[in-house]
Amino acid sequence: MPVERTRVLVVGGGSRIASALAPRFGAAAVFVSRRASRRPTGLQVEDYGSIPDAAFEGVRCLVNCVGISEGSRDALTAVNVDTPCRIAAAAKAAGVPHMIHTSSFSVYGPARRIDRATPIAPASDYGRSKAAGDAGLLALADATFAVTILRLPLIYGVDSLGKLGQLLHLWHRTRVLPVPRADIARAMISVDLAASVVAQLVGERPRNGVVFAADPRPFTYADTLRARAGDLRLLRLPHAVTALLERALPQIGSRLFMNSELAEADNLAIHYGMASQLYRDIAAADLR
């Protein structure tokens, strides 16, 4: 008799996206977290390689939120490559038909526009580990086990804006921020919107391959200025100056001066008709 599969299994239960998924799934989901993690929840294990076989029983979709963005090359490989592939292999062996894996635009390195044709070209150990993890998971996909790789840009939370918050606080302190004369467009996504996209994918027919999501409106300095209602100012620099700064200070220059935009046609948030949250959250941010 076929096993009835109705549950969702979310691995990395203490992550921000997993926490945002909890109210969306309710009792239909089981969350797995490491006992030693900051926010252990649900089924607690010593490590994700020791998830009991029973956890996969009755699961129709596995959502993997496990990942780190910083650490040694070995640590990044262990968490971003070996762990998701081990979890996926166990799920596949248990008959789970679908896996959704949260990945990153970092696999594209400094690409200024991202779509289905953008080549993989990671420029950091983190990006390389995410690209290798994605490739390992896609190699496990077949007619009985669908793997959906969801690539996301910079993720921020309303309670913790991360790198977006660092930029806004810097801007608030200096009051004037040097920016390109032509402005920029950078893809970002809130934790809440990312969770909404994941929940939508869980409810759909499983698909193999790579998909993308970002806030329907990219980050621009002009729109941020309008959202803050006169709280901030811009110093617009000519291209020659910003190009020089990009070469001299590549890490800072890439964040302040470079585009990193997702093509609208490949943005699942737009496809699903989801509303933008970015400028609402920027307007509400406490920069004191």
Side-chain angles (χ1 to χ4, degrees), residues 51-70:
I51 298 175
D53 293 342
F56 297 105
E57 293 178 3
V59 171
R60 65 183 178 87
C61 185
L62 163 69
V63 178
N64 179 53
C65 298
V66 177
I68 58 173
S69 59
E70 297 178 346

Side-chain angles (χ1 to χ4, degrees), residues 109-112 123-124 163 186 221 241-260:
R112 295 177 182 252
S124 65
K163 291 180 180 178
R186 292 188 70 86
Y221 291 118
V241 175
T242 57
L244 178 63
L245 289 172
E246 282 183 45
R247 291 194 296 271
L249 302 167
Q251 288 190 330
I252 296 175
S254 64
R255 293 180 185 178
L256 291 179
F257 306 141
M258 287 180 59
N259 285 359
S260 179

Side-chain angles (χ1 to χ4, degrees), residues 144-164:
T144 64
F145 184 62
V147 175
T148 305
I149 304 293
L150 174 60
R151 288 183 179 149
L152 301 169
L154 181 151
I155 302 172
Y156 71 89
V158 174
D159 58 339
S160 176
L161 294 173
K163 291 180 180 178
L164 173 59

